[in-house]
Amino acid sequence: MPYQSPSAEAPRRASVNVNSLSLMRGRGEPIAMLTAYDASFAVLADRAGVDVILVGDSLGMVCQGRKSTLPVRLEDICYHTESVVRGLEAQGGTAMVIADMPFGSYHASLDQAIRSASALMQAGAQMVKLEGGAWVIDMVDQFVQRGIPVCAHLGLMPQTVHAIGGYRLQGKTPEDAERLREDALALEQAGACLLVLEMVPASLAVKITDALKACHTIGIGAGCGTAGQVLVLHDMLGMKIGRTPRFVKDFLAQTGSIEGAFAAYVAEVKTRSFPVDEVHGF
Ligand code: KIV
């Protein structure tokens, strides 16, 4: 049956949580994630059926006008998370909210990482996201033991842009692909519930997705074979300030309204008509 976006009259879905994400994966329903940084966009995304709202550190670039995500502070993410959560609560929203851990908020010590993650949970997030492979495994385990659900992030990790010399495809060589697969398995073992895979070959994303059972992959520039998709809000609304990555689709251009763009995004993710590997993938 073709996917239908919820209408204004449709009964509200139950709140999205870690269990419903697993149920979605179990029934083969892709998870639709989108970034949002304020109350109004979060409410419209929620009404359109977006499952998960990510308060990403991409806000450094799209809201604060910075060159990278590195200058974003923990207070910034707390502020935007509170705005998103306040909007959803006021409007009976049911989307799950994930807050990104910004650069420097988990790099110094486990103690610092736990304090930062706790601040984001107290701001209203239901899960935190952090970038990294082997070096964050223990951190993920410690978060999970303390009741903090984790979304991991592998492939292109924008917080490492200066170390890797640009925003480019990851996991291209057999060695890099194998390291990514091993990191993904270790993150799942440590208790990560979701895993963002950014800018990796579609074939590798499928391999990792299939290897993981309790951890669900969310792709961005990772092809159509992941358990879900995520895009940056401003990108999918066609706001061309800088370079537009190949994996982005302008949903506003095809629909003419923000509500329409969100509904089309959800419908295309749910029916796996977005992304198209030949057009948006690597
Ligand atoms: O910060 C962000 O928006 C992200 C997404 C690109 C996944 O990490």
Side-chain angles (χ1 to χ4, degrees):
M1 197 176 69
Y3 177 79
Q4 292 187 319
S5 310
S7 69
E9 305 81 46
R12 295 295 295 151
R13 65 176 169 189
S15 292
V16 178
N17 58 34
V18 289
N19 300 326
S20 34
L21 295 178
S22 293
L23 289 173
M24 279 183 215
R25 169 95 183 276
R27 59 177 181 258
E29 177 186 338
I31 299 163
M33 186 192 289
L34 185 65
T35 71
Y37 318 98
D38 68 26
S40 306
F41 279 108
V43 167
L44 292 185
D46 173 72
R47 285 187 187 159
V50 166
D51 301 304
V52 182
I53 291 174
L54 170 65
V55 184
D57 61 359
S58 49
L59 68 85
M61 294 160 95
V62 299
C63 300
Q64 299 176 335
R66 300 187 189 278
K67 280 196 187 137
S68 76
T69 58
L70 274 76
V72 175
R73 299 162 310 167
L74 184 64
E75 305 88 274
D76 299 333
I77 303 281
C78 283
Y79 171 85
H80 287 276
T81 300
E82 282 169 4
S83 305
V84 162
V85 170
R86 206 179 293 127
L88 291 177
E89 282 178 358
Q91 297 299 322
T94 54
M96 181 175 198
V97 177
I98 301 182
D100 229 346
M101 298 193 68
F103 180 78
S105 72
Y106 56 107
H107 297 63
S109 66
L110 182 59
D111 182 61
Q112 182 215 23
I114 292 167
R115 287 180 197 285
S116 300
S118 303
L120 295 172
M121 297 298 281
Q122 287 182 325
Q126 289 147 277
M127 187 180 288
V128 299
K129 178 169 89 58
L130 79 179
E131 298 180 7
W135 76 275
V136 302
I137 301 296
D138 186 38
M139 210 175 278
V140 171
D141 174 63
Q142 294 293 323
F143 284 7
V144 172
Q145 288 196 47
R146 287 164 174 76
I148 302 173
V150 176
C151 174
H153 186 151
L154 290 174
L156 173 66
M157 295 176 280
Q159 292 175 8
T160 65
V161 61
H162 298 306
I164 59 175
Y167 299 98
R168 53 175 64 104
L169 187 67
Q170 302 295 307
K172 275 193 294 189
T173 66
E175 297 75 30
D176 285 350
E178 181 51 22
R179 186 184 35 78
L180 260 165
R181 198 187 66 88
E182 283 171 11
D183 283 348
L185 287 169
L187 286 161
E188 173 178 62
Q189 184 71 30
C193 173
L194 295 177
L195 168 63
V196 168
L197 287 175
E198 180 162 356
M199 280 187 84
V200 299
S203 55
L204 175 60
V206 168
K207 204 171 164 187
I208 293 175
T209 301
D210 290 348
L212 302 180
K213 302 293 170 238
C215 178
H216 320 307
T217 56
I218 306 289
I220 174 163
C224 70
T226 47
Q229 298 291 332
V230 60
L231 280 181
V232 169
L233 170 69
H234 296 55
D235 287 345
M236 62 85 78
L237 292 178
M239 298 174 72
K240 295 183 182 63
I241 309 285
R243 219 187 96 258
T244 305
R246 169 188 166 91
F247 55 77
V248 166
K249 177 171 175 180
D250 179 350
F251 286 89
L252 185 61
Q254 73 182 48
T255 55
S257 75
I258 291 168
E259 289 92 333
F262 289 170
Y265 171 66
V266 172
E268 292 192 24
V269 168
K270 296 282 178 189
T271 55
R272 293 199 186 277
S273 14
F274 172 82
V276 176
D277 283 357
E278 296 70 34
V279 181
H280 309 106
F282 299 99

